[in-house]
Amino acid sequence: MSGLFGYLDGVAALGPGFDNWAMLAAQLTGEQPWQDAPTRLTAPPGLPPAERRRVGKPVRLALALGFEAVAMAGADAAELATVFTASGGDGDNLHALCTTLAEPARLVSPTRFTNSVHNAPAGYWGIAAGATAPSNVLSAYDASFSMGLIEALGQVQGEARRVLLIAYDSPYPGPLAALRPLPEPCGVALLLSPERGPASRARLAVVGGETAAEGSTGIAALDALARSAPSLRALPLLAALARGEGGRYGLEMPLGGLLVVELQPCV
């Protein structure tokens, strides 16, 4: 993994208390206080009306993140390879399916089944963006962001192409919520390029043979939020980006240990 790197051309964020990257960046720099509030999810752009009505929170979340990062970079969404990473799936759909299967009739809705699969957001992205480029979908529990970043940077380097990484989490209703507590729907997106360009904000690189602490945003409430959802483990890294700071940051990996990522602002 050492030697993987890419240039960060677009950033997106959506979650409790922030509607976009600009709002979160202002909170991370201390310009605005972070205040907990329900995540505001809008109808996903680019989908036919019937599909917009059927999709659940993860799809609306993932598409909002993807299109925000693409717009910041001035990229063509249809041409981008994508990596979707989430610690779980559509909790609301899963709850509804389990409830239905516990009933005598077991009449499972085809729409619910379609939207319950882990790659549903990737499929809807292809429809909304008109994208035909490769799309990978993965899950690594609490290490989902770091593994998604490795996959995205691997494609950036191995295929010399721009890759859109979308990391997101959506909570489960009870009783599953007691076993896997997650906050409001939340996530981040990073558009990574193999070469520095006019839109590049920073260089991200996986550093081998190094150690680093998990890092902190320096804001207790946002640190607590970062610990509450795998996709938000990126917040210390994004705090440095918002402040124009460089450094090395440890991201949670499967089975323990940290992935050390170096951020160097483009000035």
Side-chain angles (χ1 to χ4, degrees):
M1 292 183 296
S2 177
L4 294 179
F5 71 91
Y7 289 92
L8 182 56
D9 291 351
V11 190
L14 179 58
F18 50 92
D19 298 337
N20 49 51
W21 165 243
M23 192 171 178
L24 176 60
Q27 295 165 355
L28 290 168
T29 58
E31 296 175 21
Q32 296 178 6
W34 178 78
Q35 294 181 331
D36 194 10
T39 301
R40 293 194 282 191
L41 295 173
T42 59
L47 291 179
E51 299 299 331
R52 286 202 299 269
R53 291 192 297 268
R54 292 171 183 158
V55 298
K57 294 174 185 176
V59 173
R60 287 186 285 161
L61 174 63
L63 266 60
L65 290 166
F67 281 116
E68 182 190 357
V70 168
M72 177 184 289
D76 184 350
E79 297 180 353
L80 295 173
T82 50
V83 174
F84 291 79
T85 181
S87 65
D90 189 329
D92 293 326
N93 255 325
L94 179 60
H95 176 80
L97 287 171
C98 288
T99 301
T100 299
L101 292 173
E103 296 172 351
R106 296 185 177 183
L107 298 177
V108 173
S109 161
T111 298
R112 284 207 176 277
F113 177 77
T114 298
N115 289 331
S116 71
V117 296
H118 194 64
N119 64 347
Y124 283 112
W125 172 263
I127 297 171
T132 57
S135 182
N136 284 7
V137 183
L138 58 89
S139 180
Y141 200 59
D142 284 347
S144 291
F145 177 77
S146 62
M147 298 307 292
L149 182 61
I150 289 173
E151 174 63 28
L153 288 175
Q155 291 188 39
V156 168
Q157 287 292 293
E159 301 179 19
R161 67 186 306 161
R162 300 176 99 182
V163 178
L164 177 62
L165 169 64
I166 303 175
Y168 59 93
D169 289 291
S170 185
Y172 296 96
L176 291 173
L179 299 175
R180 180 57 168 165
L182 291 168
E184 286 278 312
C186 56
V188 301
L190 308 177
L191 202 166
L192 300 161
S193 295
E195 298 179 353
R196 179 172 176 172
S200 298
R201 294 169 173 261
R203 181 182 187 271
L204 287 179
V206 174
V207 182
E210 301 284 346
T211 59
E214 283 193 66
S216 168
T217 65
I219 301 170
L222 288 173
D223 281 343
L225 187 62
R227 292 190 295 269
S228 70
S231 63
L232 297 185
R233 300 290 199 272
L235 284 185
L237 191 68
L238 295 182
L241 177 68
R243 297 164 188 165
E245 300 172 351
R248 292 181 176 179
Y249 303 87
L251 300 174
E252 187 170 351
M253 288 281 281
L255 305 178
L258 297 173
L259 176 73
V260 182
V261 177
E262 181 179 72
L263 184 144
Q264 296 177 341
C266 292
V267 294

